[in-house]
Amino acid sequence: MTIADPAAAKTALRVFVRNRRKQLALEHPEADWKLVDAGREPLSARFPQPQGKVAALYHGLGSEVSARALADWLAEQGWALALPSVEGANADGLGGHMVFRTWTPGEALARDAIGLVAPLRQNPIVQPDLVAVPLLAYDRAGVRLGQGGGYYDRALEALRGRKDVFALGLAYHGQETHNLPVEAHDQRLDAILTENEYIAVRKD
Ligand SMILES: Nc1nc2c(c(=O)[nH]1)N(C=O)[C@@H](CNc1ccc(C(=O)N[C@@H](CCC(=O)O)C(=O)O)cc1)CN2
Ligand SMILES: Nc1ncnc2c1ncn2[C@@H]1O[C@H](COP(=O)(O)OP(=O)(O)OP(=O)(O)O)[C@@H](O)[C@H]1O
């Protein structure tokens, strides 16, 4: 089915899926480390030599599934880590764009231009090979619904114009949603990792 006005459909859907995610976070406090259990084998198979590669994680907000245990495991495997930083926004938080700056577990953090926790501005901007993407809803074809700022869509589009980037959606399993609205600018996920399973979208 084609949705006539996908932007309006997304706005309406966000209300429902935000509440659902809050409920899922209460029901699955163990999801943090179960993500690692589900992702260990498929991620090791896809990235057999992670030394020198960069993985962008995120600092969890509200009811987002935590990326913390996954970050620690990736660092153990030899990945360098990075976190998003929204920069160049005006006083209303508008007009900014998202970049990724290096971050090492335990290192000091600051606030970015829209008040989110981010690496210090002295840390270099990097082009990650793997981007862990927070989301409100996903489907098994790799469509994702985010918070609506378009930050991840624009950042992934820019990165993918320069190199091969693997977008890994992180979610509670119960965030799976059928018939998600899609717009032309939406960047697909290459895989989704939940506390139950690793869903491979990209088949190569
Ligand atoms: N961890 C994280 N960092 C991110 C994003 C994100 O989704 N998650 N973003 C992705 O684009 C950008 C920031 N955009 C955002 C826009 C709105 C809300 C927001 O409304 N959050 C909820 C709190 C979460 C919850 O309670 O479930 C809120 O304030 O109600 C969050 C991030 C860049 N960094
Ligand atoms: N590549 C792009 N170039 C220009 N504008 C874009 C691009 N991607 C997204 N946008 C704009 O960003 C806005 C939000 O897009 P969308 O609703 O898909 O966000 P989202 O993916 O849910 O959010 P986020 O990525 O922040 O989690 C839209 O108005 C869209 O026009």
Side-chain angles (χ1 to χ4, degrees):
M1 187 180 72
T2 307
I3 295 167
D5 184 349
K10 283 182 177 180
T11 303
L13 189 57
R14 281 191 186 98
V15 178
F16 170 76
V17 296
R18 273 205 186 98
N19 281 313
R20 183 175 62 177
R21 192 173 70 178
K22 282 185 191 149
Q23 191 60 37
L24 288 164
L26 293 173
E27 289 167 4
H28 299 286
E30 77 296 354
D32 187 3
W33 61 265
K34 283 188 88 177
L35 283 187
V36 180
D37 271 358
R40 194 176 275 126
E41 276 184 32
L43 290 174
S44 300
R46 173 155 284 275
F47 299 101
Q49 286 177 324
Q51 289 75 15
K53 290 195 188 296
V54 179
L57 282 303
Y58 58 80
H59 187 89
L61 259 174
S63 59
E64 286 175 345
V65 69
S66 168
R68 189 58 226 232
L70 185 65
D72 290 342
W73 179 74
L74 289 168
E76 265 173 46
Q77 303 308 301
W79 289 86
L81 303 187
L83 290 174
S85 177
V86 176
E87 304 185 2
N90 65 25
D92 299 323
L94 300 173
H97 66 289
M98 188 172 78
V99 295
F100 298 97
R101 291 185 184 270
T102 58
W103 178 76
T104 309
E107 200 180 15
L109 290 159
R111 299 271 171 188
D112 68 11
I114 58 170
L116 299 178
V117 171
L120 301 175
R121 290 290 185 105
Q122 70 209 35
N123 293 14
I125 291 175
V126 286
Q127 318 283 330
D129 303 283
L130 170 67
V131 178
V133 187
L135 46 84
L136 286 170
Y138 69 91
D139 74 14
R140 301 182 77 89
V143 178
R144 149 186 184 274
L145 180 70
Q147 294 283 6
Y151 290 110
Y152 274 92
D153 288 324
R154 281 176 277 140
L156 284 169
E157 186 189 33
L159 282 173
R160 283 171 163 164
R162 305 173 70 151
K163 64 188 284 188
D164 185 23
V165 179
F166 194 82
L168 177 67
L170 302 188
Y172 295 102
H173 200 73
Q175 289 175 257
E176 183 179 339
T177 307
H178 300 286
N179 299 318
L180 278 179
V182 187
E183 293 176 276
H185 65 252
D186 286 325
Q187 293 286 317
R188 296 273 172 150
L189 300 169
D190 295 305
I192 299 114
L193 181 58
T194 80
E195 76 278 17
N196 289 1
E197 65 173 328
Y198 176 88
I199 302 165
V201 176
R202 188 156 126 188
K203 301 295 181 195
D204 61 351

